Amino acid sequence: MIADCHMHTSFSTDSKACPEEMIERAIALGMKEICITDHYDMDYPRNPRTGEEEFQLDTPAYQAKIRELQERYRDRIQIRFGVELGLQAHLKGQMEEYVRRWPFDFVIGSMHLLNGKDPYDCESFQDMEDREMYRAYFRATSENLRAFHEFQTLGHLDYVVRYGKSKGAEYRCGEYRDEIDEILKLLVEYQIALEVNTGGLKYGLGFPNPHPEIIRRYRELGGEMVTVGSDAHEPRHVGFGFDTAAELLREAGFQYYTQFTDKKPVFVKL
Ligand SMILES: [Zn+2]
Ligand SMILES: [Zn+2]
């Protein structure tokens, strides 16, 4: 099965999963390689209820744990050391320093915040129409990409759609063609992969993030690198919807997907 290159464990604020259970599940599914990518969002708004700083990552403890697991499971599965880094243009310098300092195999750059607020928190964008919010999110994604591009794949490109009032029902990605083309062209220019995140299927959108039209468009614009991730936060979602993802990728003209080791791409036949 395709290597799952996006999953979370209890090192992430929003997961209670024990890393060993995620790994065992991947092995049971027949994966030969996975990448664990716990969350790190610098300058994330504090939880208004608890006042706690969320989505911070104890990177030294995380690295030590991944090293231990790599050793323990080396005969059964390759485990890569990854991170999902929340992108915000004003943090350019800190993000550069961070990804250079730690020997990650793979960094996912993800837009979790729009104007400093998380679309996941429904109250933040109550006054904004879905279309307006989606467009603003895509524009902010290109701005972020231009500011900082030292990562290997762009996570869940149209993630914002998961949290629109109408979810995917009224989402037509063709309406944002200019904004999305801009993002895809920057990915090709900076040699950053496009992630196919099957979390969208899990959330009941009926498609992964991004929408298959966007995957096809990336290919048309010369994009060659796609990574695949379930964004699992618990063992039962590891590899979720990967058959659908493989089919979509083949239909879009891809023969290979990409894994990263030491931040270098390795192409694997689909
Ligand atoms: Zn994410
Ligand atoms: Zn994630």
Side-chain angles (χ1 to χ4, degrees):
M1 196 187 229
I2 292 177
D4 194 336
C5 291
H6 189 154
M7 65 175 72
H8 299 274
T9 74
S10 52
F11 281 94
S12 292
T13 301
D14 57 357
S15 171
K16 292 187 176 67
C18 160
E20 287 84 347
E21 287 176 21
M22 301 298 277
I23 296 166
E24 294 288 349
R25 177 71 185 144
I27 294 171
L29 289 168
M31 290 181 192
K32 299 277 177 277
E33 178 167 330
I34 54 166
C35 187
I36 298 179
T37 54
D38 275 304
H39 280 294
Y40 183 26
D41 281 83
M42 299 172 189
D43 197 18
Y44 188 88
R46 278 175 191 273
N47 183 318
R49 287 178 296 279
T50 62
E52 265 173 48
E53 255 196 307
E54 298 186 308
F55 298 107
Q56 303 306 297
L57 181 62
D58 181 351
T59 312
Y62 176 53
Q63 184 192 28
K65 182 70 184 177
I66 298 286
R67 292 287 180 251
E68 177 207 318
L69 294 167
Q70 285 171 330
E71 190 56 31
R72 194 179 339 152
Y73 285 95
R74 57 191 276 180
D75 296 333
R76 300 171 70 198
I77 192 167
Q78 298 298 310
I79 300 164
R80 304 291 174 213
F81 176 42
V83 68
E84 181 179 13
L85 191 60
L87 304 176
Q88 292 195 75
H90 72 279
L91 298 170
K92 171 187 162 63
Q94 281 155 269
M95 293 190 292
E96 280 170 356
E97 197 264 333
Y98 182 72
V99 299
R100 289 173 193 173
R101 175 168 169 209
W102 296 95
F104 292 114
D105 287 303
F106 181 56
V107 179
I108 302 175
S110 289
M111 281 271 302
H112 292 135
L113 299 177
L114 177 59
N115 306 332
K117 290 184 268 181
D118 196 332
Y120 176 78
D121 180 3
C122 344
E123 284 170 20
S124 309
F125 295 95
Q126 248 172 356
D127 302 332
M128 222 178 189
E129 291 295 321
D130 282 356
R131 282 195 179 92
E132 198 189 335
M133 176 165 91
Y134 298 171
R135 197 175 298 281
Y137 179 88
F138 295 135
R139 285 199 180 132
T141 303
S142 335
E143 278 163 31
N144 272 291
L145 265 169
R146 267 190 225 96
F148 171 72
H149 34 264
E150 287 187 36
F151 53 93
Q152 281 63 56
T153 198
L154 177 67
H156 47 59
L157 185 148
D158 53 10
Y159 159 93
V160 69
V161 174
R162 292 182 195 174
Y163 307 110
K165 296 176 193 69
S166 62
K167 294 240 179 167
E170 290 168 21
Y171 172 52
R172 304 284 173 272
C173 49
E175 287 180 29
Y176 316 95
R177 174 99 173 208
D178 291 352
E179 286 82 5
I180 292 172
D181 270 10
E182 186 65 28
I183 298 170
L184 299 176
K185 285 176 190 165
L186 289 170
L187 293 182
V188 173
E189 179 184 340
Y190 298 137
Q191 299 185 336
I192 295 173
L194 177 70
E195 179 191 60
V196 177
N197 183 304
T198 58
L201 297 168
K202 186 178 79 192
Y203 278 85
L205 288 181
F207 53 86
N209 300 105
H211 190 281
E213 272 179 46
I214 300 176
I215 302 171
R216 286 196 289 272
R217 183 68 182 147
Y218 168 69
R219 179 80 191 169
E220 273 173 26
L221 291 170
E224 289 176 346
M225 291 195 289
V226 281
T227 64
V228 184
S230 65
D231 213 346
H233 286 65
E234 48 186 312
R236 68 193 171 105
H237 290 136
V238 172
F240 187 91
F242 275 22
D243 290 345
T244 308
E247 214 174 293
L248 288 172
L249 284 170
R250 281 191 220 103
E251 278 169 16
F254 289 93
Q255 291 177 351
Y256 298 88
Y257 71 97
T258 311
Q259 299 169 172
F260 284 83
T261 303
D262 196 18
K263 298 185 178 140
K264 290 181 186 63
V266 178
F267 292 87
V268 184
K269 195 114 182 108
L270 272 165

